[in-house]
Amino acid sequence: MFTEPQKERGWIEVICGSMFSGKTEELIRRVKRANIANRQTMIFKPAIDVRYAEHEVVSHDRNSLESIPVEQASDILSLSVGCDVVAIDEAQFFDERIVEICVRLARDKVRVIVAGLDMDFRGNPFGPMPGLLSIAEYVTKVHAICMQCGDIASHTYKKIINEQTVELGERDLYEARCRNCFNEGMSWQRDQMKLPF
Ligand code: ZN
């Protein structure tokens, strides 16, 4: 369990993992604790992610806090003036500038909490996440449970075969899988469709 460092300087925390691994729950937990400590907090998410509610960040278990949808990473800087803690959910959907934005916030003594999918459904690093993982002081990789075998899961498996990297969905479209069950599914899909990935 992550415990907040006691210091007034800025820093960057990243929470990563597959879908259904509890990333957003962990982000919400940290923001709620910062609120208890009377820190000024704001949560941002990419405008693309409107699965549950436009102005809330909502975890799969429906735990929620208010959040602000932004079109691009640079909007976060202008909107978060005066904040002690800036949380960013679904960071994988932002452009690469999100890395630089987080560095600037931390330099301005802001605590930055970033949550995002570290791999896409092909098992490749997702968008700006590798960069964010590199610059963070604290990285927490949370795990889901494999929906096939019950082992620890770190992959997101797409049950419907197509090549869209960004396709918003839930349990209808994705499931968490361990590496082994993920590989079995991908190889089954390759056999079915003769796809190149
Ligand atoms: Zn499995």
Short mmCIF file of all heavy atoms in Angstrom, two decimals, residues 1-70:
data_model
loop_
_atom_site.label_atom_id
_atom_site.label_comp_id
_atom_site.label_asym_id
_atom_site.label_seq_id
_atom_site.Cartn_x
_atom_site.Cartn_y
_atom_site.Cartn_z
N MET A 1 0.85 -1.20 0.00
CA MET A 1 0.00 0.00 0.00
C MET A 1 0.88 1.24 0.00
O MET A 1 1.80 1.34 0.78
CB MET A 1 -0.91 -0.03 1.23
CG MET A 1 -1.92 1.09 1.29
SD MET A 1 -3.39 0.81 0.30
CE MET A 1 -4.26 -0.43 1.28
N PHE A 2 0.57 2.16 -0.87
CA PHE A 2 1.38 3.38 -0.98
C PHE A 2 1.10 4.31 0.21
O PHE A 2 -0.04 4.56 0.55
CB PHE A 2 1.01 4.11 -2.27
CG PHE A 2 1.80 5.36 -2.50
CD1 PHE A 2 3.06 5.30 -3.05
CD2 PHE A 2 1.28 6.60 -2.14
CE1 PHE A 2 3.80 6.44 -3.27
CE2 PHE A 2 2.01 7.76 -2.35
CZ PHE A 2 3.27 7.69 -2.91
N THR A 3 2.16 4.81 0.82
CA THR A 3 2.02 5.79 1.90
C THR A 3 2.64 7.10 1.45
O THR A 3 3.76 7.11 0.93
CB THR A 3 2.72 5.28 3.18
OG1 THR A 3 2.21 3.99 3.48
CG2 THR A 3 2.45 6.21 4.35
N GLU A 4 1.92 8.18 1.65
CA GLU A 4 2.36 9.48 1.16
C GLU A 4 3.64 9.94 1.83
O GLU A 4 3.74 9.92 3.05
CB GLU A 4 1.27 10.53 1.42
CG GLU A 4 -0.01 10.29 0.67
CD GLU A 4 -0.92 9.25 1.31
OE1 GLU A 4 -0.51 8.63 2.30
OE2 GLU A 4 -2.03 9.05 0.78
N PRO A 5 4.63 10.36 1.04
CA PRO A 5 5.83 10.97 1.63
C PRO A 5 5.44 12.29 2.29
O PRO A 5 4.53 12.97 1.82
CB PRO A 5 6.73 11.23 0.43
CG PRO A 5 6.09 10.57 -0.73
CD PRO A 5 4.65 10.39 -0.41
N GLN A 6 6.10 12.65 3.37
CA GLN A 6 5.79 13.92 4.04
C GLN A 6 6.82 14.96 3.62
O GLN A 6 7.87 15.09 4.21
CB GLN A 6 5.84 13.72 5.56
CG GLN A 6 4.73 12.83 6.08
CD GLN A 6 3.34 13.38 5.80
OE1 GLN A 6 3.08 14.56 5.96
NE2 GLN A 6 2.44 12.51 5.34
N LYS A 7 6.52 15.65 2.56
CA LYS A 7 7.42 16.72 2.16
C LYS A 7 6.64 17.74 1.35
O LYS A 7 5.59 17.45 0.82
CB LYS A 7 8.60 16.16 1.37
CG LYS A 7 8.22 15.33 0.16
CD LYS A 7 9.45 14.68 -0.45
CE LYS A 7 9.05 13.85 -1.65
NZ LYS A 7 10.11 13.02 -2.18
N GLU A 8 7.18 18.91 1.27
CA GLU A 8 6.47 20.00 0.60
C GLU A 8 6.91 20.18 -0.85
O GLU A 8 6.39 21.00 -1.56
CB GLU A 8 6.67 21.31 1.37
CG GLU A 8 6.06 21.29 2.77
CD GLU A 8 4.57 20.97 2.75
OE1 GLU A 8 3.85 21.50 1.88
OE2 GLU A 8 4.12 20.16 3.59
N ARG A 9 7.88 19.41 -1.28
CA ARG A 9 8.32 19.52 -2.66
C ARG A 9 7.37 18.75 -3.58
O ARG A 9 6.59 17.93 -3.12
CB ARG A 9 9.74 18.95 -2.81
CG ARG A 9 10.77 19.67 -1.96
CD ARG A 9 12.15 19.16 -2.28
NE ARG A 9 12.31 17.74 -2.04
CZ ARG A 9 12.73 17.22 -0.89
NH1 ARG A 9 13.02 18.02 0.10
NH2 ARG A 9 12.84 15.93 -0.74
N GLY A 10 7.48 19.00 -4.87
CA GLY A 10 6.66 18.27 -5.81
C GLY A 10 7.27 16.93 -6.17
O GLY A 10 8.48 16.74 -6.06
N TRP A 11 6.44 16.01 -6.59
CA TRP A 11 6.93 14.73 -7.07
C TRP A 11 5.87 14.08 -7.96
O TRP A 11 4.75 14.58 -8.06
CB TRP A 11 7.35 13.81 -5.93
CG TRP A 11 6.24 13.27 -5.08
CD1 TRP A 11 5.52 12.13 -5.28
CD2 TRP A 11 5.72 13.85 -3.88
NE1 TRP A 11 4.59 11.96 -4.29
CE2 TRP A 11 4.68 12.99 -3.41
CE3 TRP A 11 6.02 15.00 -3.14
CZ2 TRP A 11 3.97 13.25 -2.25
CZ3 TRP A 11 5.28 15.25 -1.97
CH2 TRP A 11 4.28 14.40 -1.54
N ILE A 12 6.22 12.96 -8.57
CA ILE A 12 5.32 12.28 -9.51
C ILE A 12 5.13 10.82 -9.08
O ILE A 12 6.11 10.11 -8.83
CB ILE A 12 5.87 12.34 -10.95
CG1 ILE A 12 6.02 13.81 -11.39
CG2 ILE A 12 4.97 11.58 -11.93
CD1 ILE A 12 6.85 13.99 -12.66
N GLU A 13 3.87 10.41 -9.00
CA GLU A 13 3.52 9.02 -8.71
C GLU A 13 2.77 8.46 -9.91
O GLU A 13 1.91 9.14 -10.45
CB GLU A 13 2.56 8.93 -7.51
CG GLU A 13 3.08 9.54 -6.25
CD GLU A 13 1.94 9.89 -5.27
OE1 GLU A 13 0.88 9.24 -5.29
OE2 GLU A 13 2.14 10.83 -4.50
N VAL A 14 3.08 7.25 -10.31
CA VAL A 14 2.31 6.60 -11.37
C VAL A 14 1.70 5.31 -10.85
O VAL A 14 2.36 4.52 -10.17
CB VAL A 14 3.20 6.30 -12.61
CG1 VAL A 14 2.42 5.47 -13.64
CG2 VAL A 14 3.66 7.60 -13.27
N ILE A 15 0.42 5.14 -11.14
CA ILE A 15 -0.29 3.90 -10.83
C ILE A 15 -0.62 3.26 -12.17
O ILE A 15 -1.31 3.87 -13.00
CB ILE A 15 -1.61 4.18 -10.07
CG1 ILE A 15 -1.34 5.01 -8.81
CG2 ILE A 15 -2.34 2.88 -9.75
CD1 ILE A 15 -2.58 5.77 -8.32
N CYS A 16 -0.09 2.08 -12.43
CA CYS A 16 -0.34 1.46 -13.74
C CYS A 16 -0.79 0.02 -13.58
O CYS A 16 -0.70 -0.56 -12.51
CB CYS A 16 0.92 1.55 -14.61
SG CYS A 16 2.29 0.57 -13.98
N GLY A 17 -1.28 -0.53 -14.68
CA GLY A 17 -1.76 -1.91 -14.67
C GLY A 17 -2.76 -2.10 -15.78
O GLY A 17 -3.00 -1.20 -16.59
N SER A 18 -3.35 -3.28 -15.84
CA SER A 18 -4.31 -3.62 -16.89
C SER A 18 -5.68 -3.05 -16.54
O SER A 18 -5.85 -2.43 -15.49
CB SER A 18 -4.42 -5.14 -17.01
OG SER A 18 -5.02 -5.66 -15.82
N MET A 19 -6.64 -3.27 -17.40
CA MET A 19 -8.02 -2.94 -17.04
C MET A 19 -8.45 -3.84 -15.87
O MET A 19 -7.95 -4.94 -15.71
CB MET A 19 -8.95 -3.16 -18.24
CG MET A 19 -8.82 -2.04 -19.28
SD MET A 19 -9.99 -2.20 -20.64
CE MET A 19 -11.53 -1.70 -19.86
N PHE A 20 -9.37 -3.34 -15.07
CA PHE A 20 -9.93 -4.06 -13.92
C PHE A 20 -8.89 -4.36 -12.84
O PHE A 20 -9.04 -5.30 -12.06
CB PHE A 20 -10.61 -5.37 -14.36
CG PHE A 20 -11.47 -5.22 -15.57
CD1 PHE A 20 -11.12 -5.80 -16.79
CD2 PHE A 20 -12.64 -4.47 -15.53
CE1 PHE A 20 -11.89 -5.63 -17.93
CE2 PHE A 20 -13.42 -4.30 -16.66
CZ PHE A 20 -13.05 -4.89 -17.86
N SER A 21 -7.82 -3.56 -12.81
CA SER A 21 -6.78 -3.80 -11.80
C SER A 21 -6.91 -2.86 -10.60
O SER A 21 -6.14 -2.98 -9.64
CB SER A 21 -5.39 -3.64 -12.44
OG SER A 21 -5.20 -2.31 -12.89
N GLY A 22 -7.85 -1.94 -10.64
CA GLY A 22 -8.04 -1.05 -9.49
C GLY A 22 -7.21 0.23 -9.54
O GLY A 22 -6.99 0.85 -8.50
N LYS A 23 -6.78 0.64 -10.72
CA LYS A 23 -5.98 1.87 -10.84
C LYS A 23 -6.77 3.10 -10.37
O LYS A 23 -6.26 3.90 -9.61
CB LYS A 23 -5.56 2.11 -12.30
CG LYS A 23 -4.68 1.06 -12.90
CD LYS A 23 -4.28 1.43 -14.31
CE LYS A 23 -5.46 1.53 -15.27
NZ LYS A 23 -6.21 0.27 -15.43
N THR A 24 -7.99 3.22 -10.87
CA THR A 24 -8.78 4.40 -10.53
C THR A 24 -9.17 4.38 -9.05
O THR A 24 -9.16 5.43 -8.40
CB THR A 24 -10.02 4.49 -11.44
OG1 THR A 24 -9.56 4.58 -12.79
CG2 THR A 24 -10.85 5.72 -11.13
N GLU A 25 -9.49 3.21 -8.51
CA GLU A 25 -9.78 3.12 -7.08
C GLU A 25 -8.59 3.63 -6.27
O GLU A 25 -8.76 4.34 -5.28
CB GLU A 25 -10.04 1.66 -6.65
CG GLU A 25 -11.40 1.11 -7.03
CD GLU A 25 -11.38 0.42 -8.39
OE1 GLU A 25 -10.50 0.75 -9.22
OE2 GLU A 25 -12.25 -0.43 -8.62
N GLU A 26 -7.39 3.24 -6.69
CA GLU A 26 -6.18 3.66 -5.96
C GLU A 26 -5.97 5.17 -6.11
O GLU A 26 -5.60 5.84 -5.15
CB GLU A 26 -4.97 2.86 -6.46
CG GLU A 26 -3.64 3.22 -5.84
CD GLU A 26 -3.57 3.04 -4.31
OE1 GLU A 26 -4.45 2.38 -3.74
OE2 GLU A 26 -2.65 3.61 -3.70
N LEU A 27 -6.22 5.70 -7.30
CA LEU A 27 -6.09 7.14 -7.50
C LEU A 27 -7.09 7.88 -6.61
O LEU A 27 -6.73 8.86 -5.94
CB LEU A 27 -6.32 7.47 -8.99
CG LEU A 27 -6.28 8.96 -9.37
CD1 LEU A 27 -5.44 9.15 -10.63
CD2 LEU A 27 -7.66 9.52 -9.61
N ILE A 28 -8.32 7.41 -6.58
CA ILE A 28 -9.35 8.05 -5.75
C ILE A 28 -8.97 7.97 -4.27
O ILE A 28 -9.12 8.94 -3.53
CB ILE A 28 -10.74 7.39 -6.02
CG1 ILE A 28 -11.24 7.78 -7.42
CG2 ILE A 28 -11.76 7.80 -4.96
CD1 ILE A 28 -12.50 7.04 -7.87
N ARG A 29 -8.44 6.83 -3.85
CA ARG A 29 -8.02 6.68 -2.45
C ARG A 29 -6.97 7.72 -2.08
O ARG A 29 -7.07 8.38 -1.04
CB ARG A 29 -7.45 5.26 -2.23
CG ARG A 29 -7.14 4.91 -0.78
CD ARG A 29 -6.45 3.56 -0.67
NE ARG A 29 -5.05 3.61 -1.05
CZ ARG A 29 -4.04 3.92 -0.23
NH1 ARG A 29 -4.29 4.20 1.04
NH2 ARG A 29 -2.80 3.96 -0.67
N ARG A 30 -6.00 7.91 -2.97
CA ARG A 30 -4.94 8.87 -2.67
C ARG A 30 -5.46 10.31 -2.65
O ARG A 30 -5.05 11.11 -1.83
CB ARG A 30 -3.80 8.73 -3.70
CG ARG A 30 -3.08 7.39 -3.56
CD ARG A 30 -1.89 7.28 -4.49
NE ARG A 30 -1.42 5.90 -4.56
CZ ARG A 30 -0.35 5.51 -5.23
NH1 ARG A 30 0.35 6.39 -5.91
NH2 ARG A 30 0.01 4.23 -5.25
N VAL A 31 -6.36 10.62 -3.58
CA VAL A 31 -6.90 11.98 -3.63
C VAL A 31 -7.76 12.25 -2.38
O VAL A 31 -7.69 13.34 -1.78
CB VAL A 31 -7.71 12.22 -4.93
CG1 VAL A 31 -8.43 13.56 -4.89
CG2 VAL A 31 -6.78 12.15 -6.13
N LYS A 32 -8.54 11.27 -1.96
CA LYS A 32 -9.36 11.45 -0.76
C LYS A 32 -8.49 11.69 0.47
O LYS A 32 -8.82 12.51 1.32
CB LYS A 32 -10.24 10.20 -0.53
CG LYS A 32 -11.45 10.17 -1.45
CD LYS A 32 -12.35 8.99 -1.12
CE LYS A 32 -13.66 9.07 -1.91
NZ LYS A 32 -14.47 7.85 -1.75
N ARG A 33 -7.36 10.99 0.55
CA ARG A 33 -6.45 11.19 1.69
C ARG A 33 -5.80 12.57 1.63
O ARG A 33 -5.60 13.21 2.66
CB ARG A 33 -5.37 10.09 1.70
CG ARG A 33 -5.95 8.73 2.12
CD ARG A 33 -5.03 7.58 1.78
NE ARG A 33 -3.75 7.61 2.47
CZ ARG A 33 -3.52 7.09 3.67
NH1 ARG A 33 -4.50 6.48 4.32
NH2 ARG A 33 -2.32 7.14 4.21
N ALA A 34 -5.53 13.05 0.42
CA ALA A 34 -4.98 14.40 0.28
C ALA A 34 -6.02 15.44 0.70
O ALA A 34 -5.70 16.46 1.32
CB ALA A 34 -4.52 14.64 -1.15
N ASN A 35 -7.28 15.16 0.38
CA ASN A 35 -8.36 16.07 0.79
C ASN A 35 -8.46 16.13 2.32
O ASN A 35 -8.66 17.20 2.90
CB ASN A 35 -9.71 15.62 0.20
CG ASN A 35 -9.79 15.85 -1.29
OD1 ASN A 35 -9.06 16.67 -1.84
ND2 ASN A 35 -10.67 15.13 -1.96
N ILE A 36 -8.32 14.97 2.95
CA ILE A 36 -8.35 14.93 4.43
C ILE A 36 -7.22 15.80 5.00
O ILE A 36 -7.38 16.47 6.01
CB ILE A 36 -8.23 13.47 4.93
CG1 ILE A 36 -9.49 12.69 4.55
CG2 ILE A 36 -8.01 13.43 6.45
CD1 ILE A 36 -9.36 11.17 4.72
N ALA A 37 -6.09 15.81 4.30
CA ALA A 37 -4.94 16.60 4.74
C ALA A 37 -5.06 18.07 4.31
O ALA A 37 -4.07 18.82 4.39
CB ALA A 37 -3.65 16.00 4.18
N ASN A 38 -6.27 18.45 3.88
CA ASN A 38 -6.53 19.84 3.46
C ASN A 38 -5.69 20.31 2.29
O ASN A 38 -5.40 21.50 2.16
CB ASN A 38 -6.35 20.82 4.64
CG ASN A 38 -7.47 20.67 5.63
OD1 ASN A 38 -8.63 20.51 5.24
ND2 ASN A 38 -7.13 20.68 6.91
N ARG A 39 -5.29 19.40 1.43
CA ARG A 39 -4.59 19.78 0.21
C ARG A 39 -5.64 20.16 -0.84
O ARG A 39 -6.73 19.57 -0.90
CB ARG A 39 -3.74 18.63 -0.33
CG ARG A 39 -2.64 18.18 0.61
CD ARG A 39 -1.56 19.23 0.73
NE ARG A 39 -0.38 18.73 1.41
CZ ARG A 39 -0.17 18.79 2.72
NH1 ARG A 39 -1.09 19.33 3.51
NH2 ARG A 39 0.94 18.32 3.24
N GLN A 40 -5.27 21.13 -1.67
CA GLN A 40 -6.13 21.51 -2.78
C GLN A 40 -5.92 20.51 -3.91
O GLN A 40 -4.79 20.41 -4.43
CB GLN A 40 -5.73 22.93 -3.21
CG GLN A 40 -6.68 23.60 -4.16
CD GLN A 40 -8.01 23.95 -3.49
OE1 GLN A 40 -8.05 24.36 -2.35
NE2 GLN A 40 -9.08 23.75 -4.24
N THR A 41 -6.94 19.77 -4.27
CA THR A 41 -6.77 18.71 -5.27
C THR A 41 -7.66 18.95 -6.50
O THR A 41 -8.72 19.56 -6.40
CB THR A 41 -7.14 17.32 -4.69
OG1 THR A 41 -8.53 17.31 -4.37
CG2 THR A 41 -6.33 16.99 -3.45
N MET A 42 -7.21 18.44 -7.63
CA MET A 42 -8.05 18.41 -8.84
C MET A 42 -7.75 17.11 -9.59
O MET A 42 -6.61 16.64 -9.59
CB MET A 42 -7.72 19.59 -9.76
CG MET A 42 -8.37 20.89 -9.34
SD MET A 42 -7.95 22.22 -10.49
CE MET A 42 -9.41 22.22 -11.51
N ILE A 43 -8.78 16.57 -10.23
CA ILE A 43 -8.61 15.36 -11.03
C ILE A 43 -8.94 15.68 -12.48
O ILE A 43 -9.98 16.29 -12.77
CB ILE A 43 -9.52 14.21 -10.56
CG1 ILE A 43 -9.33 13.94 -9.06
CG2 ILE A 43 -9.23 12.94 -11.36
CD1 ILE A 43 -10.23 12.84 -8.52
N PHE A 44 -8.07 15.26 -13.38
CA PHE A 44 -8.30 15.46 -14.81
C PHE A 44 -8.38 14.11 -15.50
O PHE A 44 -7.78 13.13 -15.06
CB PHE A 44 -7.14 16.27 -15.42
CG PHE A 44 -7.04 17.65 -14.86
CD1 PHE A 44 -6.21 17.92 -13.79
CD2 PHE A 44 -7.80 18.67 -15.39
CE1 PHE A 44 -6.13 19.21 -13.25
CE2 PHE A 44 -7.73 19.96 -14.86
CZ PHE A 44 -6.89 20.22 -13.80
N LYS A 45 -9.12 14.10 -16.59
CA LYS A 45 -9.14 12.90 -17.43
C LYS A 45 -9.28 13.36 -18.88
O LYS A 45 -9.78 14.46 -19.14
CB LYS A 45 -10.28 11.97 -17.03
CG LYS A 45 -11.66 12.55 -17.28
CD LYS A 45 -12.75 11.56 -16.90
CE LYS A 45 -14.12 12.13 -17.19
NZ LYS A 45 -15.21 11.24 -16.80
N PRO A 46 -8.85 12.53 -19.82
CA PRO A 46 -8.98 12.92 -21.23
C PRO A 46 -10.47 12.98 -21.62
O PRO A 46 -11.26 12.15 -21.17
CB PRO A 46 -8.26 11.81 -21.98
CG PRO A 46 -8.18 10.66 -21.03
CD PRO A 46 -8.22 11.22 -19.65
N ALA A 47 -10.82 13.94 -22.43
CA ALA A 47 -12.21 14.12 -22.82
C ALA A 47 -12.76 12.88 -23.54
O ALA A 47 -13.96 12.65 -23.57
CB ALA A 47 -12.35 15.35 -23.70
N ILE A 48 -11.87 12.08 -24.10
CA ILE A 48 -12.27 10.87 -24.82
C ILE A 48 -12.96 9.86 -23.91
O ILE A 48 -13.79 9.07 -24.33
CB ILE A 48 -11.01 10.23 -25.47
CG1 ILE A 48 -11.37 9.02 -26.31
CG2 ILE A 48 -10.00 9.83 -24.43
CD1 ILE A 48 -10.17 8.37 -26.98
N ASP A 49 -12.63 9.90 -22.60
CA ASP A 49 -13.11 8.86 -21.70
C ASP A 49 -14.40 9.28 -21.01
O ASP A 49 -14.40 9.83 -19.94
CB ASP A 49 -12.03 8.56 -20.64
CG ASP A 49 -12.42 7.36 -19.78
OD1 ASP A 49 -12.92 6.38 -20.35
OD2 ASP A 49 -12.25 7.42 -18.56
N VAL A 50 -15.52 9.02 -21.65
CA VAL A 50 -16.81 9.41 -21.07
C VAL A 50 -17.68 8.17 -20.84
O VAL A 50 -18.87 8.19 -21.04
CB VAL A 50 -17.55 10.44 -21.95
CG1 VAL A 50 -16.86 11.79 -21.87
CG2 VAL A 50 -17.62 9.99 -23.39
N ARG A 51 -17.02 7.12 -20.39
CA ARG A 51 -17.74 5.86 -20.23
C ARG A 51 -18.88 5.93 -19.22
O ARG A 51 -19.93 5.34 -19.41
CB ARG A 51 -16.77 4.76 -19.78
CG ARG A 51 -16.07 4.09 -20.93
CD ARG A 51 -15.07 3.10 -20.43
NE ARG A 51 -14.03 3.78 -19.67
CZ ARG A 51 -12.96 3.15 -19.20
NH1 ARG A 51 -12.81 1.87 -19.40
NH2 ARG A 51 -12.05 3.81 -18.53
N TYR A 52 -18.63 6.63 -18.10
CA TYR A 52 -19.65 6.62 -17.05
C TYR A 52 -20.29 7.99 -16.83
O TYR A 52 -21.49 8.12 -16.72
CB TYR A 52 -19.05 6.19 -15.70
CG TYR A 52 -18.34 4.90 -15.72
CD1 TYR A 52 -16.96 4.86 -15.85
CD2 TYR A 52 -19.04 3.69 -15.57
CE1 TYR A 52 -16.29 3.66 -15.86
CE2 TYR A 52 -18.37 2.50 -15.57
CZ TYR A 52 -17.00 2.48 -15.71
OH TYR A 52 -16.32 1.30 -15.71
N ALA A 53 -19.44 9.00 -16.75
CA ALA A 53 -19.97 10.32 -16.37
C ALA A 53 -18.99 11.36 -16.85
O ALA A 53 -17.79 11.21 -16.70
CB ALA A 53 -20.12 10.39 -14.87
N GLU A 54 -19.52 12.43 -17.41
CA GLU A 54 -18.64 13.40 -18.04
C GLU A 54 -17.77 14.16 -17.04
O GLU A 54 -16.62 14.46 -17.31
CB GLU A 54 -19.46 14.38 -18.86
CG GLU A 54 -18.61 15.08 -19.88
CD GLU A 54 -19.42 15.70 -21.00
OE1 GLU A 54 -20.61 15.33 -21.16
OE2 GLU A 54 -18.88 16.55 -21.70
N HIS A 55 -18.31 14.47 -15.87
CA HIS A 55 -17.55 15.30 -14.93
C HIS A 55 -17.16 14.57 -13.66
O HIS A 55 -16.98 15.16 -12.62
CB HIS A 55 -18.32 16.58 -14.61
CG HIS A 55 -18.43 17.47 -15.82
ND1 HIS A 55 -17.39 18.27 -16.25
CD2 HIS A 55 -19.43 17.63 -16.71
CE1 HIS A 55 -17.77 18.91 -17.35
NE2 HIS A 55 -18.99 18.54 -17.65
N GLU A 56 -17.06 13.27 -13.75
CA GLU A 56 -16.61 12.52 -12.59
C GLU A 56 -15.57 11.52 -13.04
O GLU A 56 -15.56 11.10 -14.19
CB GLU A 56 -17.78 11.73 -11.97
CG GLU A 56 -18.76 12.59 -11.23
CD GLU A 56 -19.86 11.74 -10.63
OE1 GLU A 56 -20.23 10.72 -11.23
OE2 GLU A 56 -20.35 12.13 -9.56
N VAL A 57 -14.65 11.20 -12.12
CA VAL A 57 -13.82 10.05 -12.39
C VAL A 57 -14.42 8.91 -11.57
O VAL A 57 -14.64 9.03 -10.38
CB VAL A 57 -12.32 10.32 -12.08
CG1 VAL A 57 -12.12 10.90 -10.72
CG2 VAL A 57 -11.51 9.08 -12.25
N VAL A 58 -14.80 7.87 -12.25
CA VAL A 58 -15.57 6.80 -11.62
C VAL A 58 -14.83 5.49 -11.83
O VAL A 58 -14.47 5.13 -12.94
CB VAL A 58 -16.98 6.68 -12.26
CG1 VAL A 58 -17.81 5.66 -11.50
CG2 VAL A 58 -17.68 8.02 -12.30
N SER A 59 -14.59 4.78 -10.77
CA SER A 59 -13.91 3.49 -10.90
C SER A 59 -14.93 2.42 -11.29
O SER A 59 -16.13 2.66 -11.28
CB SER A 59 -13.23 3.14 -9.59
OG SER A 59 -14.21 2.89 -8.61
N HIS A 60 -14.44 1.24 -11.60
CA HIS A 60 -15.34 0.16 -12.00
C HIS A 60 -16.32 -0.21 -10.89
O HIS A 60 -17.38 -0.73 -11.14
CB HIS A 60 -14.53 -1.08 -12.42
CG HIS A 60 -13.73 -0.85 -13.66
ND1 HIS A 60 -14.30 -0.75 -14.90
CD2 HIS A 60 -12.41 -0.67 -13.84
CE1 HIS A 60 -13.36 -0.53 -15.81
NE2 HIS A 60 -12.19 -0.47 -15.19
N ASP A 61 -15.91 0.07 -9.63
CA ASP A 61 -16.85 -0.24 -8.53
C ASP A 61 -17.70 0.99 -8.16
O ASP A 61 -18.34 1.04 -7.13
CB ASP A 61 -16.12 -0.80 -7.31
CG ASP A 61 -15.22 0.23 -6.64
OD1 ASP A 61 -15.21 1.39 -7.10
OD2 ASP A 61 -14.54 -0.12 -5.67
N ARG A 62 -17.69 1.98 -9.05
CA ARG A 62 -18.58 3.15 -8.95
C ARG A 62 -18.20 4.13 -7.83
O ARG A 62 -18.98 5.00 -7.49
CB ARG A 62 -20.06 2.73 -8.77
CG ARG A 62 -20.55 1.81 -9.84
CD ARG A 62 -20.94 2.59 -11.08
NE ARG A 62 -20.87 1.71 -12.25
CZ ARG A 62 -21.24 2.06 -13.47
NH1 ARG A 62 -21.70 3.26 -13.69
NH2 ARG A 62 -21.13 1.23 -14.46
N ASN A 63 -17.02 3.96 -7.27
CA ASN A 63 -16.48 4.95 -6.36
C ASN A 63 -16.18 6.18 -7.22
O ASN A 63 -15.63 6.04 -8.30
CB ASN A 63 -15.18 4.37 -5.78
CG ASN A 63 -14.71 5.09 -4.55
OD1 ASN A 63 -15.32 6.07 -4.13
ND2 ASN A 63 -13.63 4.61 -3.98
N SER A 64 -16.55 7.39 -6.78
CA SER A 64 -16.34 8.52 -7.69
C SER A 64 -15.91 9.81 -6.99
O SER A 64 -16.17 10.01 -5.81
CB SER A 64 -17.60 8.78 -8.51
OG SER A 64 -18.59 9.33 -7.69
N LEU A 65 -15.25 10.67 -7.73
CA LEU A 65 -14.92 12.03 -7.32
C LEU A 65 -15.10 12.89 -8.55
O LEU A 65 -15.02 12.41 -9.68
CB LEU A 65 -13.46 12.12 -6.85
CG LEU A 65 -13.08 11.63 -5.46
CD1 LEU A 65 -11.57 11.76 -5.27
CD2 LEU A 65 -13.79 12.43 -4.37
N GLU A 66 -15.26 14.18 -8.33
CA GLU A 66 -15.44 15.07 -9.47
C GLU A 66 -14.15 15.17 -10.28
O GLU A 66 -13.06 15.22 -9.73
CB GLU A 66 -15.84 16.46 -8.97
CG GLU A 66 -16.37 17.31 -10.09
CD GLU A 66 -16.72 18.72 -9.66
OE1 GLU A 66 -16.74 18.99 -8.44
OE2 GLU A 66 -16.98 19.53 -10.55
N SER A 67 -14.27 15.17 -11.59
CA SER A 67 -13.09 15.33 -12.43
C SER A 67 -13.39 16.23 -13.61
O SER A 67 -14.55 16.45 -13.96
CB SER A 67 -12.58 13.99 -12.93
OG SER A 67 -13.39 13.54 -13.98
N ILE A 68 -12.34 16.73 -14.21
CA ILE A 68 -12.48 17.67 -15.32
C ILE A 68 -11.98 17.02 -16.60
O ILE A 68 -10.81 16.64 -16.67
CB ILE A 68 -11.67 18.95 -15.03
CG1 ILE A 68 -12.21 19.60 -13.76
CG2 ILE A 68 -11.72 19.92 -16.21
CD1 ILE A 68 -11.32 20.68 -13.22
N PRO A 69 -12.85 16.87 -17.60
CA PRO A 69 -12.37 16.33 -18.88
C PRO A 69 -11.60 17.39 -19.66
O PRO A 69 -12.06 18.53 -19.75
CB PRO A 69 -13.67 15.94 -19.62
CG PRO A 69 -14.79 16.55 -18.87
CD PRO A 69 -14.28 17.17 -17.61
N VAL A 70 -10.43 17.05 -20.17
CA VAL A 70 -9.64 18.01 -20.95
C VAL A 70 -9.31 17.42 -22.32
O VAL A 70 -9.12 16.21 -22.48
CB VAL A 70 -8.34 18.43 -20.24
CG1 VAL A 70 -8.64 19.34 -19.06
CG2 VAL A 70 -7.52 17.23 -19.80
#
